[in-house]
Amino acid sequence: MPVDPSAERLVLRRPDDWHVHLRDGDTLTMVARHTAWPFARAIIMPNLTPPVTTVDAARAYRDRILAAVPAQAGFTPLMTAYLTDEIDPEEIARGHAEGVFTACKLYPAGATTNSAAGVTDIRRLDAVLARMQEIGMPLLVHGEVVDADIDIFDREAVFIERVLAPTLARFPALKVVFEHITTREAVDFVRAADERVAATITAHHLELNRNDLLVGGIRPHNYCLPVAKREQHRIALREAATSGNPKFFLGTDTAPHAIADKESACGCAGIFSAPVALESYAKVFEEEGALEQLEAFASENGPRFYGLPLNEGSVTLERCAWTVPEIVEAGGLRIRPFHAGQSLGWRVLRAD
Ligand code: NCD
Ligand code: ZN
Protein backbone atom coordinates (compact mmCIF):
# COMPACT_ATOMS: atom_id res chain seq x y z
CA MET A 1 0.00 0.00 0.00
CA PRO A 2 1.57 3.40 -0.94
CA VAL A 3 2.03 5.74 2.01
CA ASP A 4 1.78 9.52 1.65
CA PRO A 5 5.05 10.82 3.19
CA SER A 6 3.21 13.69 4.87
CA ALA A 7 0.51 11.43 6.33
CA GLU A 8 -0.30 12.16 9.94
CA ARG A 9 -1.51 8.65 10.60
CA LEU A 10 -0.39 5.24 9.60
CA VAL A 11 -2.84 2.36 9.78
CA LEU A 12 -1.38 -1.14 9.58
CA ARG A 13 -2.76 -4.60 9.89
CA ARG A 14 -2.18 -5.53 13.55
CA PRO A 15 1.43 -6.70 13.87
CA ASP A 16 3.09 -9.59 15.75
CA ASP A 17 6.44 -9.74 17.51
CA TRP A 18 8.31 -12.91 16.57
CA HIS A 19 10.90 -12.77 19.40
CA VAL A 20 10.25 -11.53 22.95
CA HIS A 21 11.52 -12.14 26.47
CA LEU A 22 8.72 -11.56 28.96
CA ARG A 23 10.52 -13.06 32.00
CA ASP A 24 8.39 -14.20 34.93
CA GLY A 25 6.94 -13.06 38.27
CA ASP A 26 6.89 -9.28 38.89
CA THR A 27 8.86 -8.51 35.74
CA LEU A 28 6.36 -10.42 33.60
CA THR A 29 3.50 -8.50 35.15
CA MET A 30 5.29 -5.27 34.43
CA VAL A 31 6.51 -5.86 30.89
CA ALA A 32 3.91 -8.10 29.18
CA ARG A 33 1.39 -5.32 28.62
CA HIS A 34 3.96 -3.32 26.62
CA THR A 35 4.14 -6.13 24.08
CA ALA A 36 0.39 -6.88 24.20
CA TRP A 37 -0.50 -3.25 23.47
CA PRO A 38 0.36 -3.06 19.76
CA PHE A 39 1.13 -6.73 19.03
CA ALA A 40 -1.54 -9.41 18.65
CA ARG A 41 0.81 -12.36 19.04
CA ALA A 42 4.37 -12.92 20.15
CA ILE A 43 6.85 -15.76 20.11
CA ILE A 44 7.79 -16.14 23.77
CA MET A 45 11.40 -17.02 24.49
CA PRO A 46 11.86 -19.92 26.95
CA ASN A 47 15.08 -18.82 28.71
CA LEU A 48 13.60 -18.63 32.20
CA THR A 49 15.33 -20.07 35.25
CA PRO A 50 14.77 -22.99 35.00
CA PRO A 51 14.20 -22.98 31.23
CA VAL A 52 10.92 -24.05 29.64
CA THR A 53 11.69 -27.59 28.49
CA THR A 54 8.40 -29.42 29.03
CA VAL A 55 4.84 -29.13 27.76
CA ASP A 56 3.57 -28.63 31.31
CA ALA A 57 6.01 -25.81 32.00
CA ALA A 58 5.08 -24.05 28.76
CA ARG A 59 1.38 -24.40 29.44
CA ALA A 60 1.79 -22.98 32.96
CA TYR A 61 3.96 -20.12 31.67
CA ARG A 62 1.38 -19.34 28.99
CA ASP A 63 -1.28 -19.11 31.71
CA ARG A 64 0.88 -16.71 33.74
CA ILE A 65 1.37 -14.53 30.65
CA LEU A 66 -2.36 -14.47 29.92
CA ALA A 67 -3.04 -13.53 33.55
CA ALA A 68 -0.56 -10.64 33.26
CA VAL A 69 -2.19 -8.93 30.26
CA PRO A 70 -5.65 -7.36 30.18
CA ALA A 71 -8.14 -9.72 28.54
CA GLN A 72 -9.30 -6.98 26.14
CA ALA A 73 -5.79 -6.84 24.64
CA GLY A 74 -6.69 -10.03 22.76
CA PHE A 75 -3.07 -11.15 23.02
CA THR A 76 -1.90 -14.65 22.09
CA PRO A 77 1.46 -15.87 23.41
CA LEU A 78 3.08 -18.45 21.13
CA MET A 79 5.24 -20.71 23.24
CA THR A 80 8.65 -22.21 22.48
CA ALA A 81 10.62 -25.14 23.89
CA TYR A 82 14.16 -24.57 25.11
CA LEU A 83 16.35 -27.22 23.51
CA THR A 84 18.88 -29.05 25.67
CA ASP A 85 21.26 -31.91 24.92
CA GLU A 86 18.85 -34.30 26.61
CA ILE A 87 15.48 -33.08 25.40
CA ASP A 88 13.07 -35.82 24.34
CA PRO A 89 11.84 -35.51 20.73
CA GLU A 90 8.49 -36.99 21.78
CA GLU A 91 7.92 -34.26 24.37
CA ILE A 92 8.50 -31.67 21.64
CA ALA A 93 6.20 -33.41 19.18
CA ARG A 94 3.47 -33.83 21.81
CA GLY A 95 3.68 -30.13 22.74
CA HIS A 96 3.36 -29.22 19.08
CA ALA A 97 0.42 -31.59 18.52
CA GLU A 98 -1.36 -30.22 21.60
CA GLY A 99 -0.99 -26.64 20.37
CA VAL A 100 1.36 -25.63 23.17
CA PHE A 101 4.73 -25.39 21.40
CA THR A 102 4.82 -23.30 18.23
CA ALA A 103 8.58 -23.71 17.75
CA CYS A 104 11.84 -24.76 19.44
CA LYS A 105 14.64 -22.41 20.43
CA LEU A 106 18.28 -23.34 20.10
CA TYR A 107 20.66 -21.56 22.44
CA PRO A 108 24.25 -22.68 22.06
CA ALA A 109 25.30 -23.35 25.68
CA GLY A 110 26.87 -20.21 27.13
CA ALA A 111 25.93 -17.91 24.23
CA THR A 112 23.68 -15.49 26.12
CA THR A 113 21.47 -14.81 29.15
CA ASN A 114 20.18 -18.04 30.74
CA SER A 115 21.71 -20.28 28.10
CA ALA A 116 23.82 -22.44 30.43
CA ALA A 117 21.43 -25.37 29.91
CA GLY A 118 21.56 -24.91 26.13
CA VAL A 119 23.01 -27.19 23.50
CA THR A 120 26.71 -28.09 23.60
CA ASP A 121 26.84 -29.58 20.09
CA ILE A 122 24.09 -29.42 17.50
CA ARG A 123 24.77 -33.04 16.49
CA ARG A 124 23.19 -34.00 19.81
CA LEU A 125 19.90 -32.70 18.43
CA ASP A 126 19.75 -35.00 15.41
CA ALA A 127 16.73 -36.96 16.63
CA VAL A 128 14.87 -33.78 17.68
CA LEU A 129 15.57 -31.97 14.42
CA ALA A 130 14.48 -35.01 12.42
CA ARG A 131 11.18 -35.04 14.32
CA MET A 132 10.70 -31.28 13.91
CA GLN A 133 11.37 -31.55 10.19
CA GLU A 134 8.78 -34.31 9.94
CA ILE A 135 6.05 -32.32 11.71
CA GLY A 136 6.93 -28.94 10.15
CA MET A 137 7.92 -27.31 13.43
CA PRO A 138 10.28 -24.33 13.06
CA LEU A 139 13.71 -24.18 14.70
CA LEU A 140 14.60 -20.72 16.01
CA VAL A 141 18.33 -20.22 16.36
CA HIS A 142 20.48 -17.93 18.42
CA GLY A 143 23.16 -17.88 15.76
CA GLU A 144 26.46 -17.45 17.53
CA VAL A 145 29.32 -19.85 18.16
CA VAL A 146 30.75 -19.70 21.65
CA ASP A 147 34.29 -20.95 21.04
CA ALA A 148 36.72 -18.92 23.13
CA ASP A 149 39.02 -18.38 20.15
CA ILE A 150 36.34 -16.65 18.08
CA ASP A 151 36.12 -12.89 18.44
CA ILE A 152 32.71 -11.83 19.73
CA PHE A 153 32.14 -9.67 16.63
CA ASP A 154 32.70 -12.72 14.38
CA ARG A 155 30.51 -15.19 16.26
CA GLU A 156 27.47 -14.87 14.00
CA ALA A 157 29.38 -15.17 10.72
CA VAL A 158 31.26 -18.21 11.99
CA PHE A 159 28.00 -19.81 13.16
CA ILE A 160 26.68 -19.68 9.59
CA GLU A 161 29.68 -21.58 8.29
CA ARG A 162 30.15 -24.07 11.09
CA VAL A 163 26.61 -24.76 12.28
CA LEU A 164 23.78 -23.29 10.25
CA ALA A 165 24.74 -24.21 6.70
CA PRO A 166 25.69 -27.82 7.58
CA THR A 167 22.49 -28.28 9.63
CA LEU A 168 20.30 -27.03 6.79
CA ALA A 169 22.07 -29.41 4.45
CA ARG A 170 21.54 -32.37 6.81
CA PHE A 171 17.86 -31.52 7.32
CA PRO A 172 16.70 -30.38 3.90
CA ALA A 173 13.09 -29.69 4.91
CA LEU A 174 13.67 -28.16 8.37
CA LYS A 175 12.22 -24.65 8.74
CA VAL A 176 14.64 -22.27 10.42
CA VAL A 177 14.39 -18.72 11.70
CA PHE A 178 17.79 -17.13 12.11
CA GLU A 179 16.95 -14.88 15.07
CA HIS A 180 18.03 -11.26 15.57
CA ILE A 181 20.53 -11.16 12.73
CA THR A 182 23.27 -8.54 13.01
CA THR A 183 25.58 -8.95 10.02
CA ARG A 184 25.74 -8.53 6.27
CA GLU A 185 26.82 -12.18 6.13
CA ALA A 186 23.55 -13.26 7.75
CA VAL A 187 21.49 -11.05 5.44
CA ASP A 188 23.23 -12.49 2.38
CA PHE A 189 22.90 -16.04 3.67
CA VAL A 190 19.16 -15.74 4.33
CA ARG A 191 18.54 -14.05 0.98
CA ALA A 192 20.33 -16.84 -0.87
CA ALA A 193 18.79 -19.71 1.11
CA ASP A 194 15.63 -21.48 0.05
CA GLU A 195 12.27 -20.40 1.36
CA ARG A 196 12.30 -22.48 4.55
CA VAL A 197 14.88 -20.04 5.98
CA ALA A 198 13.88 -16.64 7.33
CA ALA A 199 15.23 -14.11 9.83
CA THR A 200 14.03 -11.69 12.46
CA ILE A 201 15.55 -8.23 12.75
CA THR A 202 15.38 -6.14 15.93
CA ALA A 203 14.68 -2.42 16.07
CA HIS A 204 17.88 -1.80 18.01
CA HIS A 205 20.10 -3.48 15.43
CA LEU A 206 18.55 -1.19 12.81
CA GLU A 207 19.47 1.81 14.97
CA LEU A 208 22.75 1.00 16.69
CA ASN A 209 26.25 0.14 15.59
CA ARG A 210 29.18 -0.77 17.81
CA ASN A 211 30.23 2.86 18.21
CA ASP A 212 26.99 3.37 20.12
CA LEU A 213 28.32 0.93 22.69
CA LEU A 214 31.76 2.35 23.15
CA VAL A 215 32.30 5.90 21.90
CA GLY A 216 32.44 8.55 24.64
CA GLY A 217 32.17 5.93 27.38
CA ILE A 218 30.78 2.45 27.74
CA ARG A 219 27.00 2.37 27.30
CA PRO A 220 25.60 -0.72 28.98
CA HIS A 221 22.04 -0.03 27.89
CA ASN A 222 23.07 -0.53 24.27
CA TYR A 223 24.60 -3.91 25.05
CA CYS A 224 22.75 -6.97 23.81
CA LEU A 225 23.62 -10.26 22.19
CA PRO A 226 24.38 -10.68 19.43
CA VAL A 227 26.35 -7.49 19.97
CA ALA A 228 25.84 -4.60 17.53
CA LYS A 229 28.39 -4.66 14.70
CA ARG A 230 30.07 -2.15 12.36
CA GLU A 231 28.06 0.44 10.46
CA GLN A 232 28.21 -1.53 7.18
CA HIS A 233 26.26 -4.32 8.88
CA ARG A 234 23.62 -1.95 10.21
CA ILE A 235 23.18 -0.62 6.67
CA ALA A 236 22.73 -4.17 5.33
CA LEU A 237 20.09 -4.88 8.00
CA ARG A 238 18.20 -1.71 7.11
CA GLU A 239 18.24 -2.65 3.43
CA ALA A 240 16.97 -6.15 4.22
CA ALA A 241 14.19 -5.06 6.59
CA THR A 242 12.84 -2.39 4.26
CA SER A 243 13.31 -4.36 1.02
CA GLY A 244 9.93 -6.09 1.04
CA ASN A 245 11.66 -9.49 0.94
CA PRO A 246 9.25 -11.86 2.76
CA LYS A 247 12.12 -13.69 4.49
CA PHE A 248 12.70 -10.81 6.89
CA PHE A 249 10.25 -9.97 9.65
CA LEU A 250 9.80 -8.18 12.94
CA GLY A 251 11.26 -9.69 16.12
CA THR A 252 12.21 -7.16 18.76
CA ASP A 253 14.20 -9.41 21.12
CA THR A 254 12.92 -7.08 23.85
CA ALA A 255 14.93 -8.31 26.84
CA PRO A 256 14.37 -6.41 30.10
CA HIS A 257 16.99 -6.35 32.84
CA ALA A 258 16.94 -4.26 36.03
CA ILE A 259 19.04 -1.10 35.69
CA ALA A 260 21.36 -2.28 38.45
CA ASP A 261 22.12 -5.48 36.51
CA LYS A 262 22.98 -3.54 33.35
CA GLU A 263 25.03 -0.80 35.08
CA SER A 264 27.46 -3.24 36.61
CA ALA A 265 31.07 -4.41 36.34
CA CYS A 266 29.63 -7.36 34.40
CA GLY A 267 26.49 -5.94 32.82
CA CYS A 268 23.74 -8.15 31.41
CA ALA A 269 23.01 -8.38 27.69
CA GLY A 270 19.56 -7.29 26.59
CA ILE A 271 17.66 -4.19 25.47
CA PHE A 272 14.12 -3.50 26.67
CA SER A 273 12.50 -2.21 23.50
CA ALA A 274 8.86 -3.26 24.00
CA PRO A 275 7.57 0.19 25.06
CA VAL A 276 8.89 1.81 21.86
CA ALA A 277 9.21 -1.06 19.43
CA LEU A 278 6.73 -0.31 16.67
CA GLU A 279 7.54 3.41 16.87
CA SER A 280 11.24 2.66 16.50
CA TYR A 281 10.68 0.48 13.43
CA ALA A 282 8.42 3.19 11.95
CA LYS A 283 11.24 5.73 12.44
CA VAL A 284 13.70 3.51 10.57
CA PHE A 285 11.31 2.71 7.73
CA GLU A 286 10.51 6.40 7.35
CA GLU A 287 14.20 7.34 7.31
CA GLU A 288 14.70 4.76 4.57
CA GLY A 289 11.75 6.14 2.57
CA ALA A 290 10.04 2.78 2.91
CA LEU A 291 7.03 3.27 5.17
CA GLU A 292 4.94 1.35 2.63
CA GLN A 293 7.02 -1.77 3.45
CA LEU A 294 6.42 -1.61 7.20
CA GLU A 295 3.16 -3.55 7.11
CA ALA A 296 4.67 -6.53 5.28
CA PHE A 297 7.63 -6.62 7.68
CA ALA A 298 5.55 -6.17 10.85
CA SER A 299 2.29 -7.93 10.05
CA GLU A 300 2.49 -10.25 7.04
CA ASN A 301 5.86 -11.92 6.50
CA GLY A 302 6.00 -13.53 9.96
CA PRO A 303 2.59 -15.24 9.95
CA ARG A 304 3.11 -16.39 6.37
CA PHE A 305 6.39 -18.05 7.32
CA TYR A 306 4.87 -19.69 10.41
CA GLY A 307 1.78 -20.77 8.44
CA LEU A 308 -0.56 -18.76 10.69
CA PRO A 309 -3.44 -16.51 9.63
CA LEU A 310 -2.81 -12.78 9.30
CA ASN A 311 -4.37 -10.73 12.09
CA GLU A 312 -7.72 -9.14 11.33
CA GLY A 313 -7.37 -6.05 13.51
CA SER A 314 -5.34 -2.91 12.93
CA VAL A 315 -2.97 -0.59 14.68
CA THR A 316 -2.87 3.17 14.19
CA LEU A 317 0.32 5.18 14.56
CA GLU A 318 0.10 8.93 14.85
CA ARG A 319 2.76 11.43 13.89
CA CYS A 320 3.52 13.04 17.23
CA ALA A 321 6.79 14.07 18.88
CA TRP A 322 7.11 12.49 22.31
CA THR A 323 9.94 11.83 24.72
CA VAL A 324 10.56 8.27 25.83
CA PRO A 325 10.67 8.00 29.64
CA GLU A 326 14.09 7.45 31.26
CA ILE A 327 12.74 4.63 33.36
CA VAL A 328 9.81 2.24 33.22
CA GLU A 329 8.89 1.32 36.76
CA ALA A 330 6.42 -0.97 38.49
CA GLY A 331 6.43 -2.93 41.70
CA GLY A 332 9.88 -1.68 42.68
CA LEU A 333 11.50 -2.79 39.42
CA ARG A 334 13.32 -0.17 37.40
CA ILE A 335 14.12 -0.79 33.75
CA ARG A 336 15.56 1.62 31.22
CA PRO A 337 13.78 1.32 27.86
CA PHE A 338 15.39 1.58 24.43
CA HIS A 339 15.47 5.24 23.25
CA ALA A 340 15.20 6.43 26.89
CA GLY A 341 15.17 10.24 27.03
CA GLN A 342 15.07 10.53 23.23
CA SER A 343 12.35 12.00 21.10
CA LEU A 344 10.41 9.80 18.66
CA GLY A 345 8.18 11.01 15.84
CA TRP A 346 5.51 8.29 15.77
CA ARG A 347 3.34 6.95 18.55
CA VAL A 348 0.88 4.06 18.67
CA LEU A 349 -2.52 5.67 19.12
CA ARG A 350 -4.75 2.65 19.13
CA ALA A 351 -4.80 -1.04 18.46
CA ASP A 352 -7.85 -3.16 17.81
C1 NCD B 1 18.46 -11.98 25.87
C2 NCD B 1 18.00 -12.04 27.32
O1 NCD B 1 18.33 -11.15 28.10
O2 NCD B 1 17.28 -12.99 27.66
N1 NCD B 1 19.53 -11.02 25.79
C3 NCD B 1 19.92 -10.36 24.66
O3 NCD B 1 20.94 -9.66 24.73
N2 NCD B 1 19.27 -10.44 23.53
C4 NCD B 1 18.87 -13.32 25.38
C5 NCD B 1 19.09 -13.38 23.89
O4 NCD B 1 18.15 -13.33 23.11
O5 NCD B 1 20.24 -13.48 23.48
ZN1 ZN C 1 16.33 -13.08 22.52
Side-chain angles (χ1 to χ4, degrees):
M1 170 194 28
V3 173
D4 169 3
S6 64
E8 291 300 306
R9 289 203 174 170
L10 191 56
V11 181
L12 307 175
R13 183 185 289 281
R14 185 120 180 247
D16 305 299
D17 186 341
W18 299 96
H19 187 129
V20 307
H21 299 268
L22 293 183
R23 313 303 191 205
D24 213 340
D26 289 346
T27 314
L28 166 64
T29 309
M30 172 187 165
V31 303
R33 68 191 164 87
H34 290 286
T35 293
W37 160 228
F39 297 107
R41 294 171 290 198
I43 284 277
I44 310 298
M45 288 296 138
N47 62 332
L48 304 182
T49 352
V52 179
T53 54
T54 64
V55 183
D56 284 353
R59 206 179 250 124
Y61 186 32
R62 182 169 67 182
D63 289 346
R64 296 196 295 280
I65 295 168
L66 288 171
V69 295
Q72 67 269 24
F75 177 68
T76 305
L78 303 171
M79 310 310 289
T80 59
Y82 182 114
L83 296 175
T84 65
D85 286 353
E86 280 82 39
I87 201 140
D88 176 3
E90 291 319 308
E91 181 75 3
I92 300 297
R94 181 171 71 86
H96 189 248
E98 291 179 10
V100 179
F101 288 141
T102 297
C104 291
K105 179 67 192 282
L106 165 66
Y107 289 104
T112 187
T113 307
N114 291 343
S115 64
V119 174
T120 58
D121 178 349
I122 192 144
R123 299 301 294 242
R124 292 183 178 243
L125 292 180
D126 277 1
V128 179
L129 299 183
R131 196 82 176 88
M132 289 170 64
Q133 169 170 263
E134 192 183 303
I135 61 182
M137 186 178 188
L139 174 71
L140 317 183
V141 295
H142 182 110
E144 292 192 285
V145 295
V146 294
D147 311 49
D149 61 324
I150 305 295
D151 188 280
I152 191 163
F153 292 99
D154 298 332
R155 288 178 167 200
E156 185 173 282
V158 173
F159 181 88
I160 297 171
E161 232 172 83
R162 290 196 189 164
V163 184
L164 187 55
T167 303
L168 289 167
R170 287 190 303 116
F171 297 94
L174 183 66
K175 286 176 83 158
V176 174
V177 184
F178 195 171
E179 297 292 332
H180 43 50
I181 58 170
T182 62
T183 56
R184 180 174 289 282
E185 287 85 346
V187 166
D188 291 345
F189 182 82
V190 171
R191 274 211 182 101
D194 56 59
E195 59 185 21
R196 72 202 161 104
V197 181
T200 53
I201 304 181
T202 75
H204 52 271
H205 289 116
L206 295 171
E207 296 266 17
L208 306 174
N209 66 27
R210 65 194 205 176
N211 281 8
D212 296 303
L213 271 170
L214 298 168
V215 171
I218 190 156
R219 310 213 180 250
H221 296 287
N222 290 342
Y223 177 57
C224 65
L225 287 170
V227 70
K229 309 295 193 296
R230 287 177 185 275
E231 179 64 2
Q232 54 146 318
H233 298 288
R234 189 181 76 102
I235 291 169
L237 295 170
R238 286 170 81 104
E239 282 166 5
T242 60
S243 67
N245 185 326
K247 291 170 154 233
F248 300 104
F249 47 84
L250 186 157
T252 62
D253 194 19
T254 177
H257 290 276
I259 289 177
D261 295 334
K262 301 261 321 153
E263 297 177 3
S264 147
C266 185
C268 294
I271 295 179
F272 179 42
S273 58
V276 296
L278 199 55
E279 290 90 339
S280 182
Y281 285 109
K283 169 179 182 283
V284 168
F285 277 66
E286 178 155 58
E287 287 165 358
E288 297 295 320
L291 270 180
E292 73 282 355
Q293 298 293 354
L294 182 59
E295 185 171 51
F297 179 78
S299 318
E300 295 172 359
N301 299 345
R304 287 203 174 110
F305 182 83
Y306 275 86
L308 292 169
L310 304 189
N311 296 316
E312 293 295 336
S314 65
V315 71
T316 304
L317 290 117
E318 180 186 39
R319 201 181 280 285
C320 139
W322 63 291
T323 304
V324 179
E326 297 281 348
I327 288 172
V328 174
E329 194 167 1
L333 269 168
R334 291 156 59 80
I335 306 178
R336 189 172 166 86
F338 184 42
H339 287 300
Q342 296 169 5
S343 178
L344 290 176
W346 289 100
R347 184 154 209 182
V348 176
L349 183 67
R350 54 181 293 173
D352 21 41

